[in-house]
Amino acid sequence: MAKTQFKAESKRLLDLMINSIYTHQEIFLRELLSNASDAIDKLHFKSLTDSSIQSDFSIRIETDKKNRTLSITDTGIGMTKDELESNLGTIAKSGSLDFKTQNPNDALDIIGQFGVGFYSAFMVADAVTVDSKAYQSDSSYCWKSEGADGYTIEKSDKQNIGTTITLHIKEDSGEETYGEFLDEFTIKRLVKKYSDYLRYPIKMECEHSRKKEGAKDDDENAWETYKTLDTLNSMTPIWKKSKKDLTDEEINGFYKDKFSDFENPAKVIQSKTEGSATYSSMLFIPSSPPFNYYTKDFEKGLQLYSSGVLIMEKCSELLPDYFSFVKGLVDSEDLSLNISRETLQHNRQLRIIAKSLEKKIRNELALWLKNDREGYEKFFKNFGLQLKYGAYASYGADKDKLKDLLLFESSSENKLTTIAEYVSRMKDGQENIYYACGDSAEKISRMPQIESVKDAGYEVLFLTDGIDEFTIKILAEYDKKKFKNIASDDINLEDDEKTKETEEKSKQHDSLFKLMKENLKDKVLDVKLSNRLKNGAVCLTTSGEMSIEMEKVLNAMPTADHKVKAQRVLEINPNHPIFEKLCELERSNKEKLKEYSELLYVQAALIEGIAPEDPVEFGNRISKIMAQ
Ligand code: ADP
């Protein structure tokens, strides 16, 4: 029979598995048992509405040392011919598998990241067969593969619904003792280690010994061996066990296995709640964002169990978007078992659970921030963006829940700060919380607009993410202190006397500013004397709600069909020699003043990271001046 080739990506993965020097080959058993348990979950769920389904939900392990085979039989949902083809012939999960390297050491990461557990069988087996009969199907099929060459599928005569996976264990060679996977003792140990919590019995015939009836102690043949079908796992779902009976290793192993991660979770939130909603939950915050976290492919949600039966793999109603990074499960007795996805959305009980979980996560994050700053900052680097979006989303509906969980860089601390911490450091009489926007803290701290604010002794929050200013604008104030962009044109940090002086000087030179404004009429709303510049000659500020950073963010969006524009104000430093020059040109050479106005505008825009509209023209002008 002709072999069908594996899809290219699967083949590469398979090569990695076959040639794996990965030392934890033993995890193959965990992967196959988890698949078996998942398959039973699916049929278990169907059995709630289909009484014809037999109820022996179990997994059976059998070994045959002579033929070197290990088989795992489940009474789960099974696979049709098409499913065998698509589930085992290709990695259907992520269309974008991109193996950057062929290094076999990376196999572990790949197993974890893409949940390609089945393929791990090839770490210990040189041939694998999968004989399966699907629920509601009359025929059964057997899938066979001896590795990267491809696979065959043919009809089989399996009688019961479910799947039997048979591994032909590789021959031992040198250090590699694959034969141990056929030992009863090894299998028992591995089931205890990795799969003890699986909710269906994992059964295997085990050998025991006993004293023969009536035999005397000193009789050489007093002992006999016999076999019984034993259940190897304790079957208590891990989330039903009390915290003191669980080791970190068990919890981490459970998380990695169930939620396809290859790193331990950064935080585990485990709880049992009674009251308006009765449920147990086990939630995890990953150590790194899933590879597709910030894409539209990412689906949030928690596994939902009803009295131990999995009823939904990803219940999105249980998590608000701003906590979409949380993984985990909820088990409740209050939910009716044959709840459908449609009715679930309107289920009152579910809403109560979701509300309670949201509060729990929020409290846990607040405690994390308080008690383990370093850990929280690492978390925030991974998922802080989501919290900031959360505070901004829905016109700030959730901002009060999230505002104290946000961190920003700042001018006074060389580290991240909360808004509350900023406020606690505010000077007497300081009314505003100042912030500045830019690509990086380093760039912001060199902005000309910031000098006077810093000189006045005020701390400035550095907003470096595109979303930041939108979030700050939605917050509007904190502790009755208003947020203020240092680049807005209505900031005045000078005392009354100085303000008067600037006003007078402005009046004196009114005609100059009018002329410059006229010269730059498509570009700026106004040209004025600056009261904030120390060393810089010019800077841009903005009038109104929209800042230059917001303009950049909005215009960069793919949906932006017409560009928005912040209302720019060009500010000129009265103490810079260029100011004298401008005054002189106003009297002597209006044409040159026009040219200078434009050059100064481009300079100010460049400082804001805005490229000149016509770089060639700009370059030519500079060269001309240099040649004079
Ligand atoms: P994952 O379990 O992470 O999805 P696997 O490669 O282990 O990845 O399995 C691929 C798919 O094959 C599973 O999602 C499931 O649909 C199917 N599958 C694997 N083992 C079984 C089984 N014992 N019974 C039914 N379906 C199975």
Side-chain angles (χ1 to χ4, degrees), residues 31-32 34-40 42 72 74 76-79 83 86-88 90-91 93 111 114-119 130 132 162-165 260:
E31 299 292 315
L32 297 182
S34 295
N35 280 353
S37 168
D38 290 348
I40 299 178
K42 288 177 193 156
I72 297 163
D74 66 64
I77 193 140
M79 283 178 271
E83 283 164 346
S86 64
N87 291 339
L88 309 182
T90 173
I91 306 166
K93 308 207 72 171
I111 298 171
F114 300 106
V116 286
F118 168 76
Y119 290 82
V130 182
S132 197
T163 304
T164 298
I165 298 191
S260 305

Side-chain angles (χ1 to χ4, degrees), residues 20-63:
S20 173
I21 50 162
Y22 177 46
T23 48
H24 288 84
Q25 283 158 342
E26 60 185 37
I27 59 111
F28 84 92
L29 190 63
R30 174 189 77 190
E31 299 292 315
L32 297 182
L33 290 172
S34 295
N35 280 353
S37 168
D38 290 348
I40 299 178
D41 269 340
K42 288 177 193 156
L43 195 65
H44 193 175
F45 181 58
K46 297 257 186 240
S47 75
L48 303 171
T49 48
D50 179 350
S51 58
S52 72
I53 294 175
Q54 50 111 4
S55 61
D56 170 33
F57 294 123
S58 66
I59 301 168
R60 175 85 187 261
I61 300 179
E62 281 165 301
T63 57

Side-chain angles (χ1 to χ4, degrees), residues 460-523:
V460 181
L461 292 178
F462 291 168
L463 307 190
T464 49
D465 275 327
I467 181 70
D468 286 353
E469 193 175 10
F470 294 86
T471 304
I472 288 288
K473 285 233 144 108
I474 279 280
L475 293 181
E477 55 176 48
Y478 185 96
D479 218 7
K480 303 212 170 65
K481 312 278 190 293
K482 289 213 165 17
F483 288 100
K484 197 100 200 139
N485 189 339
I486 60 146
S488 72
D489 73 335
D490 59 350
I491 284 189
N492 183 9
L493 298 173
E494 293 185 328
D495 56 26
D496 289 351
E497 201 181 316
K498 205 89 198 345
T499 307
K500 225 171 170 184
E501 219 176 277
T502 313
E503 268 170 18
E504 261 162 35
K505 206 164 186 179
S506 287
K507 245 187 237 148
Q508 272 171 31
H509 297 279
D510 196 35
S511 56
L512 169 68
F513 297 126
K514 268 208 181 114
L515 209 54
M516 288 181 75
K517 188 176 153 187
E518 181 58 28
N519 291 338
L520 296 169
K521 65 174 179 300
D522 335 320
K523 301 188 173 76

Side-chain angles (χ1 to χ4, degrees), residues 208-222:
H208 303 275
S209 64
R210 67 184 162 203
K211 213 171 173 183
K212 281 185 191 160
E213 231 171 280
K216 292 197 188 85
D217 272 356
D218 54 359
D219 190 340
E220 239 180 59
N221 298 316

